[in-house]
Amino acid sequence: MPDSTISKSPLPGLYIVATPIGNLGDISARAAATLASANVIAAEDTRVTAKLLSHLGLRVPMTPYHDHSDERTRAALVARMEREVVVLVSDAGTPLISDPGYKLVRDARAAGRHVTTLPGPCAAIAAITLSGLPSDRFLFAGFLPNKAKARADTIAEFAGLRATLVFYESGPRLAAALTALADGLGNREAAVAREISKLYEECATGTLADLAARYADAPPKGEIVIVVGPRGEESGEEADAATIDAALRAAMADRPVAQAAKAVAKQYGLDRHEVYARALALKERA
């Protein structure tokens, strides 16, 4: 059976504490007790964490720890871990999941400090459960690059994976990101989850193109997770080499190689660059 006991006197060291992603009621009893026992809380934004502490009725010293924290800041925290309880939190969810923290964990381990984690809310995992898409294999990819070329290149890296893909995104960039995903991955089944655990929680499902059109003129508010189904899910078609070659020959009969390859890649959920190389080979042999 799970151990439900809560230590009244945590060992000195680093405690990675997951905090609510929306509903403050999602804080666990163990997390609350650990926050109360902390000598210092290393917070991504102390103003955000102060609201959680106020909800819990706690007054605990805090210090900023974020993406721009330097080596000296980490060293000071690691030194404190020798005799004190240092708690690491992000603004929301599980620290280190597209949030700062891995360098602090690495340095704490290198120094031989006690390091443990208190599992809890995570927007990426919550969105997968809401999406209705396959969850047996998935890849979390964080935020896509803002510039179109870098974004397309990044998406191309994932095109050949047979796994559900999970991205974080902001409202103003959502439609462009969905369009880029449809262009690079094919028109796969997807879900857009936002405001998870809050009053206006929403999980919209459909194809990437449908979702891009839905949000084109109405950028949503709140923190957003995009979940994209595995390659092949958009059409249900599984294609062997002969099928792909036949589709390419038919497509190249009335359009340039690049356009034909893009269409076939989208149809079967394949890597566009691999299909393009195959199309060029077929053209040379023709």
Side-chain angles (χ1 to χ4, degrees):
M1 293 180 63
D3 183 359
S4 60
T5 60
I6 300 174
S7 174
K8 295 182 179 179
S9 301
L11 296 171
L14 176 62
Y15 291 75
I16 306 160
V17 176
T19 57
I21 56 177
N23 192 319
L24 294 179
D26 290 338
I27 189 76
S28 72
R30 183 179 172 218
T34 302
L35 289 168
S37 301
N39 295 105
V40 64
I41 297 173
E44 184 179 3
D45 187 329
T46 57
R47 296 166 298 181
V48 173
T49 302
K51 296 177 182 178
L52 175 62
L53 295 180
S54 177
H55 170 76
L56 297 172
L58 300 177
R59 293 177 63 88
V60 183
M62 290 186 287
T63 187
Y65 187 81
H66 43 68
D67 281 329
H68 304 294
S69 295
D70 57 19
E71 186 175 347
R72 184 169 56 182
T73 300
R74 291 197 302 276
L77 287 169
V78 171
R80 295 188 67 168
M81 293 172 201
E82 184 176 7
R83 293 183 173 84
E84 296 182 344
V85 173
V86 177
V87 169
L88 174 68
V89 298
S90 63
D91 286 349
T94 301
L96 281 74
I97 307 303
S98 198
D99 282 319
Y102 84 91
K103 292 180 181 178
L104 183 61
V105 174
R106 179 192 61 194
D107 289 359
R109 289 200 171 281
R113 303 292 188 252
H114 173 70
V115 179
T116 191
T117 188
L118 281 67
C122 175
I125 300 300
I128 292 172
T129 67
L130 287 170
S131 71
L133 293 167
S135 57
D136 55 329
R137 179 185 296 180
F138 61 87
L139 182 141
F140 173 66
F143 285 90
L144 288 168
N146 191 36
K147 294 185 178 179
K149 174 67 165 57
R151 182 170 55 206
D153 289 345
T154 298
I155 292 171
E157 295 176 11
F158 306 132
L161 296 179
R162 286 199 176 275
T164 293
L165 306 175
V166 185
F167 304 90
Y168 285 168
E169 196 48 88
S170 65
R173 303 191 334 167
L174 178 59
L178 291 166
T179 298
L181 286 166
D183 289 342
L185 302 177
N187 197 24
R188 302 186 188 183
E189 290 297 315
V192 172
R194 67 183 192 90
E195 297 290 270
I196 297 172
S197 81
K198 298 180 182 178
L199 180 61
Y200 297 107
E201 176 180 287
E202 175 186 63
C203 185
T205 60
T207 66
L208 285 167
D210 290 341
L211 291 169
R214 171 176 180 153
Y215 294 111
D217 298 318
K221 297 180 180 179
E223 297 180 349
I224 296 164
V225 185
I226 302 172
V227 185
V228 184
R231 54 182 282 197
E233 290 293 315
E234 73 279 3
S235 63
E237 295 181 77
E238 294 290 340
D240 56 20
T243 300
I244 296 299
D245 287 351
L248 282 171
R249 291 190 184 96
M252 289 190 294
D254 60 359
R255 70 190 86 177
V257 175
Q259 291 182 13
K262 181 178 180 180
V264 172
K266 180 176 291 189
Q267 179 182 357
Y268 292 101
L270 301 174
D271 186 308
R272 185 175 59 186
H273 300 288
E274 292 181 3
V275 176
Y276 180 66
R278 193 177 194 92
L280 288 176
L282 287 173
K283 186 176 181 179
E284 289 176 359
R285 293 200 298 267

